[in-house]
Amino acid sequence: MKKTTTIYSIGRRQLLGGGLSILAISALSACGWRLRGKIDLPYKNILISGNLTQELRDDLDMMFRVNDIQIVKLAKDAELVLEIISEQHARQVLSYNGAGQITAYRIISRVVFRAFDPNGIELIPEADIYLTRDIDFNQSNIQAFDQQVADFVKTMRMDIVSQLMRRLASIKKLPTQQTPSESQPKSR
């Protein structure tokens, strides 16, 4: 029986492509860039309350589930209460052309929130996350524009949820208060 040997040859393009890939990966790792992983929150049971849309509630639910945080229904079961005070989305005219027609809009998303523990101690005072995106407008394709605005708002809402999670992760967990019987030393 005759032995066959396969010889693999690497061409210049493959070698150059591989080298560039390795160079790009090493440059990204050298500057500190990394994929976002789980966010380490000191709280494992959170109550979400306030005035928020179903879309924002769903995005928060998903982000908390991914990070192994349980959403509870009662304040007594929560370690942290996240209150969404308001959620607003708006469209503002950004520019007009010479004929007075709108050529660009600014899309605005804003969420006002605060966080406190079940005892009412404020951990994050009332704060807001405010995002804007500019978008060109073409009078001839209004339906596509409406879909594009909806996509922008959805992306902005996810950005707001990510920023909110980072702010929650910056909270230091307060020590739990002990009852008088727990604070006294036990006799032997």
Side-chain angles (χ1 to χ4, degrees), residues 3-184:
K3 268 188 167 179
T4 58
T5 332
T6 308
I7 300 175
Y8 294 100
S9 66
I10 298 176
R12 252 191 202 171
R13 287 186 183 184
Q14 292 170 331
L15 190 59
L16 185 59
L20 287 176
S21 298
I22 291 172
L23 181 64
I25 290 170
S26 63
L28 283 175
S29 65
C31 75
W33 183 87
R34 64 180 175 86
L35 290 174
R36 288 186 186 159
K38 286 187 172 185
I39 296 174
D40 188 26
L41 290 179
Y43 301 96
K44 297 302 174 196
N45 298 316
I46 294 180
L47 171 70
I48 302 171
S49 68
N51 185 18
L52 66 158
T53 61
Q54 187 61 44
E55 292 88 0
L56 181 60
R57 181 174 296 281
D58 292 343
D59 290 344
L60 284 168
D61 285 349
M62 180 197 62
M63 189 64 81
F64 286 135
R65 265 188 279 119
V66 164
N67 289 289
D68 300 324
I69 297 166
Q70 182 180 359
I71 296 173
V72 297
K73 301 286 183 195
L74 301 172
K76 67 179 178 109
D77 299 331
E79 297 176 60
L80 178 76
V81 178
L82 173 63
E83 180 183 10
I84 304 297
I85 297 166
S86 70
E87 177 187 4
Q88 302 164 338
H89 302 286
R91 188 179 346 190
Q92 185 179 58
V93 175
L94 193 59
S95 66
Y96 296 94
N97 64 12
Q101 296 174 328
I102 298 170
T103 58
Y105 281 100
R106 174 164 285 153
I107 310 301
I108 301 167
S109 287
R110 180 176 183 238
V111 171
V112 181
F113 67 96
R114 69 186 191 113
F116 52 94
D117 74 357
N119 298 325
I121 298 172
E122 201 167 64
L123 302 172
I124 297 179
E126 187 173 311
D128 71 336
I129 300 174
Y130 182 87
L131 297 177
T132 63
R133 301 287 188 270
D134 297 340
I135 184 171
D136 292 330
F137 177 68
N138 184 354
Q139 192 74 22
S140 64
N141 201 353
I142 293 174
Q143 286 181 335
F145 175 75
D146 289 341
Q147 181 60 45
Q148 191 175 15
V149 168
D151 291 344
F152 268 79
V153 168
K154 182 178 181 181
T155 303
M156 291 167 73
R157 189 173 39 251
M158 283 306 297
D159 287 347
I160 286 172
V161 167
S162 295
Q163 286 187 34
L164 186 58
M165 291 296 288
R166 286 193 295 274
R167 289 192 191 183
L168 291 175
S170 70
I171 298 173
K172 300 294 182 220
K173 190 169 185 175
L174 296 175
T176 56
Q177 294 182 346
Q178 296 179 342
T179 61
S181 63
E182 292 174 343
S183 60
Q184 296 175 353

